[in-house]
């Protein structure tokens, strides 16, 4: 969430940033709303001061046995007490209105983020590895999985409807192996602390990371008012909600391997076959809590950690810098990792790493105490996939496909697969 003080001081910068995101100007209306709020606050403070002063004067008048003055002052206090609740209600209403407007504004892009309306303006930063060199026909993951007999969409649809998958046997084990490999890598070599956190959260947590109020339709809600997490970013980032972190403890680096739940609102007709776009999927999440001075370097570090997963799996991928029109709501800058899928003959996103500035820190009221002046400042947050497990599984299946339809198990996964080196078709 943006700081209204910053908006007042930088109206042109706000509108220019919103224009980069193809959003309408908001500075003038925000400042007008804030002026109205400040006027109400000042009027309420004036009333409180007058009431307090009159209360003291009543005592003085009574001491001087000036009943007429005391009665007049009492009448003034009664009138103020009657008028103040209505003014307090107006102040609360305007506060809520201002908060709602601010909470729906996207974050300010960094200066080096390319400007563009959609994914066509994204910039390829680097490309790593090469495409598979075999000559046999490439297949999509669902063709491979169904032919092997370990990927079942029909039964999943009977259980839960569309955008769900049932994996069995060695494919189910490979999905688990990928998640375990990722979490082990990030905790043992990259310095992240593993967290087991809830899969359901309250409104405040979703507000803190920016899913609410704007993106409620993308979420699943339980009958008791909780939300299923769309990513462990929500729980990991909110671990510092309403807390003050000592500066020497920063950066805090957290990781979690969890299911994620998304309604996929607005994606009708996209990736309807297979398991690229699911309502439920596993993801290894990375979150960093840091300060303004180190956040940009932390962004590069986090992206490198996610890249290492793909490198060790031997997958061909590229890194994109997203343009202003393709970035997420809370991001100031985002790198996407796209892995090569031979079956689709294209790159597809498998990880997205974003630096958010103090946007989420402000929404969570999460602060740290500065080493230099001991002042309280909002934390800066980062999040990324390290990586999406299901999409990594897709990439492994398509890139390690053999001519006979079997799938070779990457070396790095074999210890998690009980030494299995190849997934072959189910017998019978």
């Amino acid at each position: 969430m943006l700081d209204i003080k910053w908006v007042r001081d930088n109206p042109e910068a706000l509108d220019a940033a919103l224009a980069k995101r193809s959003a309408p100007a908001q500075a003038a209306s925000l400042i007008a709303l804030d002026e109205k709020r400040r006027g109400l606050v000042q009027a309420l403070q004036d009333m409180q001061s007058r009431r307090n002063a009159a209360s003291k004067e009543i005592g003085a008048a009574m001491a001087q046995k000036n009943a007429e003055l005391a009665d007049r002052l009492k009448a003034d206090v009664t009138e103020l007490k009657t008028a103040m609740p209505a003014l307090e209600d107006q102040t609360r209403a305007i506060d809520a209105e201002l908060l709602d407007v601010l909470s729906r504004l996207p974050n300010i892009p960094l200066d080096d983020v390319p400007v563009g309306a959609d994914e066509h303006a994204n910039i390829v930063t680097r490309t790593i590895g090469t495409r598979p060199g075999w000559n046999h026909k490439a297949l999509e993951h669902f063709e491979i999985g169904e032919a092997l007999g370990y990927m079942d969409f029909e039964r999943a649809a009977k259980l839960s409807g569309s955008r769900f998958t049932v994996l069995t046997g060695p494919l189910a084990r490979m999905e688990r192996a990928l998640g375990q490999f990722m979490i082990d890598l990030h905790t043992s070599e990259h310095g992240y602390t593993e967290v087991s956190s809830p899969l359901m959260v309250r409104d405040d947590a979703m507000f803190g990371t920016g899913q609410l109020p704007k993106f409620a339709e993308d979420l699943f809600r339980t009958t008791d008012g909780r939300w299923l997490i769309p990513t462990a970013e929500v729980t990991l980032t909110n671990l510092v909600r309403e807390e003050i972190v000592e500066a020497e403890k920063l950066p805090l680096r957290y990781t979690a391997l969890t299911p994620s739940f998304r309604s996929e609102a607005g994606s009708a007709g996209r990736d309807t076959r297979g398991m690229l776009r699911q309502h439920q999927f596993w993801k290894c999440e990375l979150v960093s809590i840091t300060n303004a001075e180190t956040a940009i370097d932390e962004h590069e570090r986090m992206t490198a950690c996610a890249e290492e997963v793909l490198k060790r799996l031997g997958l061909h991928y590229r890194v994109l810098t997203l343009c202003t029109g393709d970035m997420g709501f809370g991001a100031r800058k985002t790198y996407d990792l796209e892995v090569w899928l031979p079956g689709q003959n294209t790159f597809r996103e498998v990880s997205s790493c974003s630096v958010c500035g103090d946007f989420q820190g402000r929404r969570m009221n999460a602060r740290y105490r500065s080493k230099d002046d001991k002042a309280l400042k909002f934390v800066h947050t980062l999040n990324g996939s390290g990586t999406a497990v299901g999409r990594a599984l897709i990439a492994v299946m398509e890139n390690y496909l053999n001519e006979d339809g079997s799938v070779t198990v990457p070396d790095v996964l074999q210890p998690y697969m009980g030494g299995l080196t190849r997934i072959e078709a189910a017998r019978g």
Side-chain angles (χ1 to χ4, degrees), residues 121-127 317-322 338 347:
N122 295 340
I123 295 175
V124 177
T125 303
R126 55 187 173 273
T127 302
Y317 71 93
R318 66 184 185 182
V319 180
L320 275 66
T321 302
L322 299 194
E338 292 188 340
F347 288 96

Side-chain angles (χ1 to χ4, degrees), residues 150 169-171 173-174 407-411 413-424:
Y150 302 123
L171 278 190
R173 184 165 186 174
M174 182 178 278
V407 174
T408 297
V409 178
D411 292 346
L413 295 183
Q414 290 177 18
Y416 297 93
M417 296 285 292
L420 185 69
T421 60
R422 182 178 296 221
I423 299 176
E424 298 179 331

Side-chain angles (χ1 to χ4, degrees), residues 39-331:
L40 287 170
V41 169
Q42 186 60 55
L44 187 58
Q45 290 176 344
D46 290 345
M47 280 188 176
Q48 289 171 334
S49 297
R50 283 163 50 200
R51 186 187 67 181
N52 293 340
S55 296
K56 292 180 181 179
E57 290 171 12
I58 289 171
M62 296 288 285
Q64 296 171 5
K65 301 187 183 302
N66 189 340
E68 182 180 352
L69 177 59
D71 289 343
R72 189 166 66 249
L73 290 169
K74 288 178 182 179
D76 289 343
V77 169
T78 299
E79 184 179 346
L80 289 168
K81 285 183 176 180
T82 301
M84 285 176 64
L87 196 56
E88 288 170 346
D89 288 343
Q90 293 180 51
T91 303
R92 281 192 291 270
I94 203 77
D95 277 341
E97 183 180 356
L98 183 61
L99 176 62
D100 183 65
V101 175
L102 284 171
S103 69
R104 295 174 186 274
L105 291 182
N107 207 348
I108 304 298
L110 293 177
D111 292 339
D112 63 344
V113 173
V115 177
D118 54 34
E119 67 273 10
H120 296 100
N122 295 340
I123 295 175
V124 177
T125 303
R126 55 187 173 273
T127 302
I128 307 297
T130 57
R131 301 177 187 182
W134 33 255
N135 296 317
H136 57 265
K137 182 182 178 182
L139 297 174
E140 293 203 53
H141 69 281
F142 49 84
E143 297 174 304
I144 300 168
E146 289 179 328
L148 288 172
Y150 302 123
M151 185 176 285
D152 195 324
F153 299 102
E154 289 186 10
R155 284 193 174 97
K158 289 178 183 177
L159 293 171
S160 306
S162 62
R163 297 195 187 276
F164 290 91
T165 308
V166 170
L167 299 177
T168 56
L171 278 190
R173 184 165 186 174
M174 182 178 278
E175 181 184 49
R176 175 163 55 90
L178 280 162
Q180 290 178 327
F181 157 65
M182 293 173 193
I183 204 81
D184 285 351
L185 175 65
H186 296 315
T187 54
S188 64
E189 297 188 34
H190 295 158
Y192 287 86
T193 298
E194 184 175 0
V195 177
S196 177
S197 56
L199 301 180
M200 296 184 292
V201 296
R202 296 174 173 173
D203 291 4
D204 288 347
M206 287 294 194
F207 179 86
T209 42
Q211 282 78 19
L212 292 180
K214 193 170 183 179
F215 302 103
E217 67 173 5
D218 296 326
L219 307 171
F220 287 111
R221 195 171 195 181
T222 65
T223 55
D224 65 355
R226 293 182 177 89
W227 303 86
L228 297 179
I229 61 168
T231 163
E233 171 202 346
V234 176
T235 47
L236 297 183
T237 308
N238 275 280
L239 289 176
V240 295
R241 177 180 185 79
E242 296 176 350
E243 293 188 5
I244 297 173
V245 183
E246 294 304 321
E248 57 268 19
K249 293 183 178 180
L250 299 176
L252 299 171
R253 297 184 178 116
Y254 298 124
T255 184
L257 177 63
T258 68
S260 300
F261 306 91
R262 298 184 185 177
S263 72
E264 292 297 335
S267 64
R270 296 176 58 192
D271 301 313
T272 53
R273 292 201 66 186
M275 53 183 293
L276 260 168
R277 196 177 296 275
Q278 299 273 276
H279 289 313
Q280 172 189 312
F281 56 94
W282 286 88
K283 185 153 71 80
C284 182
E285 185 70 9
L286 305 175
V287 161
S288 295
I289 312 294
T290 186
N291 55 40
E293 292 73 28
T294 62
I296 300 302
D297 289 342
E298 186 71 13
H299 189 210
E300 301 295 330
R301 181 190 186 279
M302 176 180 285
T303 304
C305 291
E307 286 186 71
E308 189 62 25
V309 171
L310 303 181
K311 288 178 180 178
R312 297 202 186 185
L313 289 170
L315 297 172
H316 177 42
Y317 71 93
R318 66 184 185 182
V319 180
L320 275 66
T321 302
L322 299 194
C323 72
T324 53
D326 200 31
M327 278 198 315
F329 174 76

